[in-house]
Amino acid sequence: MRHTVIAAIALLLAVVAVPAGAQTTIEPTLRTEQVFFHCDSPNKLANVDAVVNGQSPSWDTTAPSTSFTAGGGCGFYDNLLSGTGPTGQPTASAIWSGTFTGNLDTVAVELHRLLGGAGGSVTAPQLVAILTIDGTVVFDGDITPFFTVSDTGASESTTFSFPGLKYVTEDGDGEKERTVTLQIDSYNEAQTAWVFDASEVPAGLTFNPEDRVKPEFK
């Protein structure tokens, strides 16, 4: 009887044991999620909260439904003469920060800006973009996206993406929550008012877009 029990235990261990150095195979998938930037206070100039309180606007999956004419929306004034406020935030940069849960390969961006103001319109302006994921800067450099004037003629928009981010480490869609921060700066000769959270200017991000969004910056 004793030999029978020992044999049974040995067989069980042989079945469940994993050889040393063996790797577990995962099959990652990419979940697509579109989010929209939202104002985080009654201040229409988002720089105020960013500089004074260190608070950056974030995003969620709800598209803005209130128009500018009905009091919706807010914006960032930005140029490369930005200094640093008391909380460490730049005084004249556009910064949004939030989270995404799951494997992450590409972040696509949609931005809107007013046509009026200093510098006027530049169809393909040179901008500076900084994309940070979980505290690590994954892109920091110049970009030259193409802008399209809106039907109203009051604003213009652009889309571009950051592909090949390589945060694809989990089985399935993944469950890890990642903190993502996007900072945009304009060169001084093209000062910019970035606007968002109004129905006319649905600025935001798409994580893992199903279709490629060009131009792509790596």
Side-chain angles (χ1 to χ4, degrees), residues 109 111 113 122-127 143-149 156-160 214-215 217:
V109 181
L111 296 177
R113 68 179 191 173
V122 180
T123 302
Q126 191 172 42
L127 307 173
I143 62 173
T144 309
F146 186 85
F147 280 79
T148 302
V149 178
E156 55 186 356
S157 64
T158 186
T159 57
F160 53 90
K214 296 184 177 181
F217 301 103

Side-chain angles (χ1 to χ4, degrees), residues 29-140:
T29 53
L30 298 174
R31 179 177 67 87
T32 299
E33 181 175 272
Q34 183 177 15
V35 298
F36 302 89
F37 300 146
H38 290 290
C39 310
D40 59 356
S41 84
N43 291 320
K44 293 297 184 180
L45 184 61
N47 304 68
V48 174
D49 286 321
V51 172
V52 176
N53 303 319
Q55 182 176 339
S56 299
S58 190
W59 53 71
D60 61 33
T61 56
T62 303
S65 58
T66 304
S67 69
F68 268 121
T69 56
C74 56
F76 276 107
Y77 169 77
D78 109 79
N79 65 53
L80 276 189
L81 294 181
S82 177
T84 302
T87 60
Q89 290 275 50
T91 57
S93 297
I95 303 178
W96 298 272
S97 186
T99 61
F100 173 75
T101 299
N103 292 316
L104 181 57
D105 176 74
T106 300
V107 175
V109 181
E110 178 177 340
L111 296 177
H112 294 254
R113 68 179 191 173
L114 298 181
L115 279 173
S121 174
V122 180
T123 302
Q126 191 172 42
L127 307 173
V128 178
I130 303 174
L131 180 66
T132 304
I133 300 177
D134 289 340
T136 298
V137 176
V138 297
F139 184 92
D140 183 354

